Amino acid sequence: QVQLVESGGGLVPPGESLRLSCAVSGFGLDQFAVAWFRQLPGQEREGVACIEVSGTTSYYGEILKGRRAISKDTRKNIVYLDMNRLKPEDTGVYHCAKRRFPNCGISALGSLEVWGQGTPVTVSL
């Protein structure tokens, strides 16, 4: 059974950093790409980043632009999203998702098969 479990979110003041983790099971990171997206209540999902089987990374949209980095530990089956110099507009629930393919697409939201419950990030004083 494919599962993704996010962790690492929380309440942080502006300027701080967070590392989100996505623990996957039921598939390997050497088989399929994994993407991160953000969702705010009542709004559409917004793609953030994606990492391919090869390790090639892709970034999308304006969220965390220049302040984000996606990486993975294939042996541990964990994908990370490093978020730096956080701003209040970065607030939201961050989800990771398994893609249907080993590579990332033009859109971070395309071909997503399964995603986790998300981890909330709140950036506020």
Side-chain angles (χ1 to χ4, degrees), residues 5-68:
V5 179
E6 304 92 338
S7 62
L11 171 63
V12 295
E16 293 293 308
S17 298
L18 280 175
R19 165 170 270 198
L20 306 184
S21 296
C22 171
V24 312
S25 58
F27 71 98
L29 297 177
D30 56 353
Q31 296 176 298
F32 297 98
V34 170
W36 284 95
F37 64 88
R38 181 186 74 169
Q39 188 149 33
L40 292 167
Q43 298 189 24
E44 295 184 355
R45 297 171 182 173
E46 300 169 275
V48 179
C50 179
I51 188 162
E52 301 184 350
V53 164
S54 66
T56 299
T57 58
S58 298
Y59 297 96
Y60 306 88
E62 297 299 311
I63 305 170
L64 296 158
K65 194 169 187 177
R67 300 179 288 114
R68 57 196 169 180

Side-chain angles (χ1 to χ4, degrees), residues 13 16 22 60 66-67 73 76 79 82 86 99 109 111 124:
E16 293 293 308
C22 171
Y60 306 88
R67 300 179 288 114
D73 187 326
K76 294 182 179 179
V79 177
D82 288 304
L86 285 161
R99 274 183 53 86
L109 303 178
S111 300
S124 178

